[in-house]
Short mmCIF file of all heavy atoms in Angstrom, two decimals:
data_model
loop_
_atom_site.label_atom_id
_atom_site.label_comp_id
_atom_site.label_asym_id
_atom_site.label_seq_id
_atom_site.Cartn_x
_atom_site.Cartn_y
_atom_site.Cartn_z
N ALA A 23 5.85 23.24 -19.39
CA ALA A 23 5.09 23.60 -20.60
C ALA A 23 4.74 25.07 -20.54
O ALA A 23 4.62 25.73 -21.61
CB ALA A 23 3.81 22.76 -20.63
N ALA A 24 4.61 25.66 -19.33
CA ALA A 24 4.23 27.05 -19.19
C ALA A 24 5.36 27.91 -19.83
O ALA A 24 5.09 29.03 -20.30
CB ALA A 24 4.04 27.43 -17.72
N MET A 25 6.61 27.48 -19.78
CA MET A 25 7.72 28.23 -20.26
C MET A 25 8.07 27.85 -21.73
O MET A 25 8.95 28.47 -22.33
CB MET A 25 8.96 28.04 -19.40
CG MET A 25 8.79 28.54 -18.00
SD MET A 25 10.30 28.35 -17.04
CE MET A 25 10.25 26.56 -16.83
N ALA A 26 7.48 26.78 -22.23
CA ALA A 26 7.83 26.27 -23.49
C ALA A 26 7.48 27.12 -24.74
O ALA A 26 7.95 26.93 -25.79
CB ALA A 26 7.30 24.85 -23.65
N ASP A 27 6.51 28.05 -24.53
CA ASP A 27 6.04 28.90 -25.59
C ASP A 27 6.98 30.12 -25.72
O ASP A 27 7.34 30.74 -24.72
CB ASP A 27 4.64 29.34 -25.32
CG ASP A 27 4.09 30.20 -26.45
OD1 ASP A 27 4.25 31.44 -26.35
OD2 ASP A 27 3.49 29.64 -27.40
N LYS A 28 7.40 30.45 -26.93
CA LYS A 28 8.34 31.53 -27.13
C LYS A 28 7.76 32.88 -26.69
O LYS A 28 8.50 33.77 -26.08
CB LYS A 28 8.77 31.61 -28.61
CG LYS A 28 9.83 32.62 -28.86
CD LYS A 28 10.24 32.59 -30.32
CE LYS A 28 11.39 33.56 -30.65
NZ LYS A 28 11.82 33.47 -32.05
N SER A 29 6.48 33.12 -26.91
CA SER A 29 5.88 34.43 -26.49
C SER A 29 5.89 34.55 -24.93
O SER A 29 6.19 35.56 -24.38
CB SER A 29 4.48 34.51 -26.98
OG SER A 29 4.45 34.58 -28.39
N ARG A 30 5.54 33.44 -24.24
CA ARG A 30 5.55 33.44 -22.78
C ARG A 30 6.96 33.64 -22.25
O ARG A 30 7.22 34.31 -21.26
CB ARG A 30 4.94 32.25 -22.22
CG ARG A 30 3.38 32.12 -22.41
CD ARG A 30 2.73 31.11 -21.52
NE ARG A 30 3.05 29.73 -21.89
CZ ARG A 30 2.36 29.01 -22.82
NH1 ARG A 30 1.30 29.60 -23.43
NH2 ARG A 30 2.68 27.75 -23.11
N SER A 31 7.94 33.01 -22.91
CA SER A 31 9.34 33.17 -22.55
C SER A 31 9.79 34.65 -22.69
O SER A 31 10.51 35.16 -21.80
CB SER A 31 10.23 32.31 -23.39
OG SER A 31 10.06 30.89 -23.10
N ARG A 32 9.33 35.28 -23.73
CA ARG A 32 9.68 36.70 -23.90
C ARG A 32 9.11 37.56 -22.80
O ARG A 32 9.71 38.44 -22.27
CB ARG A 32 9.18 37.19 -25.25
CG ARG A 32 9.98 36.73 -26.44
CD ARG A 32 9.33 37.23 -27.75
NE ARG A 32 10.16 36.87 -28.91
CZ ARG A 32 9.84 37.12 -30.15
NH1 ARG A 32 8.67 37.64 -30.41
NH2 ARG A 32 10.65 36.78 -31.12
N MET A 33 7.82 37.26 -22.43
CA MET A 33 7.21 37.97 -21.30
C MET A 33 7.98 37.82 -19.99
O MET A 33 8.20 38.76 -19.25
CB MET A 33 5.75 37.53 -21.17
CG MET A 33 4.81 37.91 -22.27
SD MET A 33 3.16 37.22 -22.01
CE MET A 33 2.31 37.94 -23.38
N LEU A 34 8.35 36.56 -19.73
CA LEU A 34 9.07 36.23 -18.48
C LEU A 34 10.39 36.95 -18.44
O LEU A 34 10.85 37.50 -17.41
CB LEU A 34 9.23 34.72 -18.36
CG LEU A 34 7.95 33.95 -18.06
CD1 LEU A 34 8.21 32.43 -18.16
CD2 LEU A 34 7.44 34.29 -16.63
N CYS A 35 11.13 37.01 -19.59
CA CYS A 35 12.43 37.63 -19.66
C CYS A 35 12.23 39.14 -19.41
O CYS A 35 13.01 39.76 -18.75
CB CYS A 35 13.07 37.40 -20.97
SG CYS A 35 13.69 35.74 -21.17
N ALA A 36 11.21 39.71 -19.97
CA ALA A 36 10.93 41.16 -19.77
C ALA A 36 10.66 41.47 -18.33
O ALA A 36 11.10 42.47 -17.77
CB ALA A 36 9.73 41.62 -20.56
N LEU A 37 9.97 40.57 -17.61
CA LEU A 37 9.64 40.79 -16.23
C LEU A 37 10.84 40.57 -15.30
O LEU A 37 10.77 40.88 -14.10
CB LEU A 37 8.51 39.82 -15.78
CG LEU A 37 7.14 40.12 -16.44
CD1 LEU A 37 6.13 39.01 -16.08
CD2 LEU A 37 6.61 41.48 -15.93
N MET A 38 11.91 40.10 -15.85
CA MET A 38 13.14 39.97 -15.08
C MET A 38 13.76 41.27 -14.62
O MET A 38 14.73 41.30 -13.90
CB MET A 38 14.20 39.16 -15.85
CG MET A 38 13.90 37.61 -15.83
SD MET A 38 14.26 36.90 -14.23
CE MET A 38 16.01 36.79 -14.20
N ASP A 39 13.23 42.42 -15.14
CA ASP A 39 13.72 43.71 -14.71
C ASP A 39 13.20 44.04 -13.26
O ASP A 39 13.53 45.08 -12.72
CB ASP A 39 13.46 44.84 -15.65
CG ASP A 39 11.93 45.16 -15.80
OD1 ASP A 39 11.15 44.49 -15.15
OD2 ASP A 39 11.61 46.11 -16.55
N GLY A 40 12.27 43.19 -12.73
CA GLY A 40 11.76 43.44 -11.39
C GLY A 40 10.54 44.34 -11.32
O GLY A 40 9.97 44.47 -10.25
N ARG A 41 10.20 44.91 -12.46
CA ARG A 41 9.06 45.86 -12.43
C ARG A 41 7.78 45.15 -12.78
O ARG A 41 7.77 44.01 -13.26
CB ARG A 41 9.30 46.97 -13.40
CG ARG A 41 10.54 47.85 -13.06
CD ARG A 41 10.62 49.00 -14.07
NE ARG A 41 11.68 49.91 -13.73
CZ ARG A 41 12.89 49.81 -14.18
NH1 ARG A 41 13.23 48.84 -14.96
NH2 ARG A 41 13.87 50.70 -13.84
N ALA A 42 6.64 45.81 -12.53
CA ALA A 42 5.32 45.32 -12.97
C ALA A 42 4.96 45.91 -14.31
O ALA A 42 5.18 47.12 -14.52
CB ALA A 42 4.31 45.69 -11.92
N TRP A 43 4.54 45.08 -15.22
CA TRP A 43 4.21 45.51 -16.58
C TRP A 43 2.67 45.33 -16.82
O TRP A 43 2.05 44.41 -16.24
CB TRP A 43 4.96 44.65 -17.61
CG TRP A 43 6.44 44.90 -17.62
CD1 TRP A 43 7.29 44.83 -16.58
CD2 TRP A 43 7.21 45.16 -18.74
NE1 TRP A 43 8.58 45.00 -16.96
CE2 TRP A 43 8.54 45.19 -18.37
CE3 TRP A 43 6.95 45.31 -20.12
CZ2 TRP A 43 9.63 45.49 -19.23
CZ3 TRP A 43 8.02 45.56 -21.03
CH2 TRP A 43 9.30 45.60 -20.58
N THR A 44 2.12 46.09 -17.71
CA THR A 44 0.72 45.92 -18.10
C THR A 44 0.66 44.84 -19.17
O THR A 44 1.68 44.51 -19.85
CB THR A 44 0.11 47.22 -18.67
OG1 THR A 44 0.78 47.59 -19.88
CG2 THR A 44 0.24 48.37 -17.68
N ALA A 45 -0.54 44.31 -19.37
CA ALA A 45 -0.70 43.31 -20.42
C ALA A 45 -0.42 43.91 -21.78
O ALA A 45 0.13 43.21 -22.72
CB ALA A 45 -2.16 42.77 -20.41
#
Side-chain angles (χ1 to χ4, degrees):
M25 295 182 289
D27 182 271
K28 187 175 182 179
S29 296
R30 289 196 290 272
S31 292
R32 285 178 174 175
M33 292 178 176
L34 290 170
C35 287
L37 292 172
M38 281 289 284
D39 69 357
R41 297 183 175 92
W43 292 53
T44 65

